[in-house]
Amino acid sequence: MSKKLVSLFLAVLMLFSAAALAEEAITVTDMFGRVITLEEPATRIIATEPADCEILYALGCGDALVGRGLYCDYPAEVTALPTVHSGADTNLEEILALDPQVVIMNDMAHTVEQVNLLEQNGVKVITTNADSIAEVYQAIRLIGQIMGKNAEAETIITDMQSSFDGIAAKAEKTDKTIYFEVMPLEWGLWSAGANTFMQELAEICGMKNAFADLDGWQPISQEQVIDRDPDYIVLVTGMGDTAVDEVMNRPGWQDIKALRNGKVYNADSYTLTRPAPRLKDAAIDLYNFLYGIAED
């Protein structure tokens, strides 16, 4: 074969290789509008937030995780992975030491400077931020894209939607109200307002949010809770087995309908607070509590 033919063959081969790489490349827009391109689906990834970690496992990508945030604890096997700090304590050296291709963070887990430094070191940063159920679906699709798991992402979303639709179809439409306590009294009460997936879960179950006039996650007072007299109190404080007794014995709360009728529920704080696929399980548990359905 002549040198000219060899050169032509190599040139064609390079074109085909470049085209193949271009087809495999993945370009996404994360939940803060940042455009990120990966040459191929990620195989080494760090998730700093529990919800994103749960999404990865639901997609069947747990084996791609090389590190996790301190609070990533589901499924249990993830706790065997090295931990990295995030937020104000983000340690770039410990992240880089794990040699990830991608780090998934949320809006409270990084600064612009930290993102720039990671990307200068060859690490892509994907940012998520989900307050509503629609945004949970967006996060699942985003992570599915970077992992090459688009079909799996749609399966998860369809399953969640089916669960929510099933609950909504059988729920009564009432004017009864739920107060979600997301921070306990000893730390200063907080609740979920409008534009949160907790309010959406209440509505799916046919109820109203006692703090629907607030936006997002907000601090509240005892006086506001007493004045609004909720029919149900749902605790997602992670305060353990004594949480219900603590609420039932709060001075000045005894006339609240939820206390008078024994309708105080210590929910699984992880399933109900994390914007992840297990929100469907949280919705089922919430429905069962509200309608007095005993667990199997």
Side-chain angles (χ1 to χ4, degrees):
M1 185 181 292
S2 69
K3 290 183 178 179
K4 185 178 289 186
L5 285 175
V6 170
S7 297
L8 181 61
F9 174 76
L10 291 174
V12 171
L13 185 62
M14 289 175 66
L15 284 173
F16 275 111
S17 298
L21 285 173
E23 286 182 5
E24 198 170 357
I26 298 168
T27 298
V28 300
T29 301
D30 74 7
M31 296 181 72
F32 279 78
R34 300 171 59 255
V35 178
I36 300 98
T37 298
L38 306 177
E39 293 182 359
E40 59 185 1
T43 57
R44 293 183 61 82
I45 193 163
I46 292 174
T48 63
E49 298 301 312
D52 296 327
C53 183
E54 293 193 20
I55 291 170
L56 282 162
Y57 272 94
L59 289 167
C61 298
D63 57 353
L65 276 163
V66 296
R68 64 182 176 97
L70 292 173
Y71 302 106
C72 296
D73 57 8
Y74 184 89
E77 64 194 81
V78 75
T79 60
L81 291 174
T83 58
V84 300
H85 293 77
S86 60
D89 298 320
T90 295
N91 185 315
L92 299 183
E93 288 74 18
E94 66 183 5
I95 291 174
L96 294 174
L98 296 172
D99 191 30
Q101 297 164 304
V102 175
V103 176
I104 306 178
M105 295 178 164
N106 79 1
D107 61 330
M108 294 189 295
H110 68 272
T111 65
V112 172
E113 292 75 19
Q114 290 166 346
V115 171
N116 290 339
L117 284 170
L118 284 170
E119 295 193 333
Q120 287 168 19
N121 282 276
V123 179
K124 303 291 187 180
V125 177
I126 305 291
T127 305
T128 61
N129 181 43
D131 290 320
S132 67
I133 291 175
E135 288 172 339
V136 176
Y137 297 156
Q138 185 181 349
I140 293 169
R141 287 191 174 103
L142 172 63
I143 295 173
Q145 282 182 282
I146 66 172
M147 304 307 297
K149 297 285 187 177
N150 295 319
E152 290 84 347
E154 293 305 321
T155 296
I156 293 168
I157 291 167
T158 298
D159 182 49
M160 293 177 71
Q161 290 173 327
S162 177
S163 293
F164 296 146
D165 290 346
I167 292 170
K170 62 185 179 182
E172 301 171 9
K173 306 307 177 191
T174 75
D175 289 325
K176 292 183 177 179
T177 59
I178 303 174
Y179 157 53
F180 292 99
E181 184 167 303
V182 300
M183 192 74 75
L185 181 59
E186 65 178 294
W187 296 344
L189 296 177
W190 278 64
S191 192
N195 301 310
T196 65
F197 50 78
M198 285 188 193
Q199 172 155 320
E200 291 179 277
L201 293 182
E203 292 170 346
I204 287 169
C205 291
M207 307 289 170
K208 295 183 177 180
N209 180 4
F211 285 93
D213 56 318
L214 303 182
D215 186 64
W217 318 92
Q218 295 284 348
I220 58 169
S221 68
Q222 292 194 74
E223 290 74 21
Q224 286 176 293
V225 178
I226 294 168
D227 182 62
R228 296 182 186 213
D229 192 21
D231 295 280
Y232 302 93
I233 294 177
V234 176
L235 307 174
V236 283
T237 57
M239 297 302 288
D241 296 338
T242 63
V244 171
D245 288 340
E246 190 272 324
V247 172
M248 293 294 292
N249 290 290
R250 283 179 184 168
W253 286 46
Q254 276 65 42
D255 289 332
I256 294 175
K257 286 195 291 288
L259 273 70
R260 293 203 317 266
N261 298 322
K263 300 299 183 181
V264 181
Y265 173 49
N266 190 20
D268 183 324
S269 61
Y270 294 150
T271 58
L272 192 51
T273 61
R274 293 177 179 175
R278 288 197 296 161
L279 276 182
K280 76 164 194 175
D281 300 320
I284 293 168
D285 291 343
L286 181 62
Y287 177 88
N288 289 343
F289 160 68
L290 295 171
Y291 292 92
I293 299 172
E295 296 182 2
D296 294 334

